Amino acid sequence: QASADPVQDKTQGQSVLEQALQEVIGRLCDKGEGSKQVTAREVLAGVEDVVLLHVESPESFFVMRTRDWKMADMMRMQMKRKWMEGGWGKVKVDDIAVLKDDDATEYHRVKVITIESDLAWVTYIDQGNNSQVPLTSLVCMSENLSTLPPMAHHCTLAGVSSEHEWNEEAARGVRLFSGKDVCKATVVGSRDCMGKNIMIVMFSKEEDQTDISLLDFLVFRALASREGQDLEGSSLPISFRSFLYLPLDRTVQEHLVKVVHVDTPDQMYINLVGENHSYIKYMENMMEEMQEEYSRHEADDQ
């Protein structure tokens, strides 16, 4: 028989949520048995479906596995409950805290880095970025939530040539490529950076059943270069042609196409149109960007 007491119903719901959260924590602890914590390398390996969280450069960006979404939602509900219990502003440096964002529905796990008067600099554990926030927006977090490993995984793009200082255009290019789409991260190694483990990943996404590489995307736009290749070389026409080569999907029997050139009736050239004319739009955008690139070089020569 269902309970008629709404308060009891709410308490029972919270108990179920806490139990589920405890089971997840227990599994993570078992996975890390013999070590002090579950490392990023243990939880991000092989090929993972991910979403982009925060970008500093092609050599430093953060992703979240799509299979962690459910866990993130559970954590958000627990963080809201903890924040509502009170204790606002009663945090100190190195504490793990709950941050209530300006958006009343958003709660984040953060680590307090410094405190200056009524403000605090924090690191978002599950996003990777830093920010200065009001001290009163923070509540010290429970041990259960604070001991969970970060949802944000620090990555660097495999095959990209290292730069001493990246400009904002390169970071914007990574964000433009990913958008809010689900992408694919293939872990090919790891490296240590100031005591932190960073995953080396190949990064791609699928459009019309074709994998598009982030590295190719950045190289085409002269926002990055491959290892052993400088930025000047990356903007040559051959890069355009290699980037625009899209393998034909042979899993279907028919394709919608556009005839672009005819030599003889038995020899012609076509472009794929794609779903919602996506290939045509793709090609038109690439042609416009190539024209802009060549026009810029011509203007520089003059």
Side-chain angles (χ1 to χ4, degrees), residues 181-205:
D181 298 336
V182 174
C183 299
K184 185 181 297 181
T186 303
V187 179
V188 297
S190 65
R191 64 179 175 87
D192 181 80
C193 180
M194 300 177 64
K196 296 182 179 179
N197 204 31
I198 301 181
M199 298 297 102
I200 303 172
V201 301
M202 294 188 296
F203 203 78
S204 63
K205 72 176 185 179

Side-chain angles (χ1 to χ4, degrees), residues 284-298:
E284 289 175 350
N285 290 338
M286 294 302 100
M287 294 298 291
E288 289 176 3
E289 292 189 15
M290 284 191 286
Q291 185 59 49
E292 290 177 5
E293 181 69 15
Y294 284 120
S295 299
R296 182 174 65 83
H297 283 304
E298 290 176 358

Side-chain angles (χ1 to χ4, degrees), residues 68-133:
D68 286 336
W69 279 346
K70 185 176 181 180
M71 181 63 185
D73 287 340
M74 293 171 59
M75 283 178 51
R76 193 173 296 111
M77 295 170 66
Q78 285 289 318
M79 286 189 288
K80 179 179 179 180
R81 181 185 173 196
K82 180 62 181 175
W83 199 89
M84 295 296 292
E85 289 176 358
W88 306 287
K90 296 180 180 179
V91 297
K92 57 185 184 297
V93 173
D94 290 334
D95 275 354
I96 305 299
V98 178
L99 166 67
K100 182 183 179 183
D101 210 340
D102 292 336
D103 184 342
T105 63
E106 289 297 324
Y107 297 84
H108 307 278
R109 281 196 307 169
V110 299
K111 181 176 181 179
V112 180
I113 306 302
T114 61
I115 296 176
E116 302 171 2
S117 184
D118 58 347
L119 297 173
W121 275 99
V122 299
T123 295
Y124 289 73
I125 295 174
D126 302 310
Q127 292 185 7
N129 56 315
N130 300 314
S131 180
Q132 191 176 46
V133 299

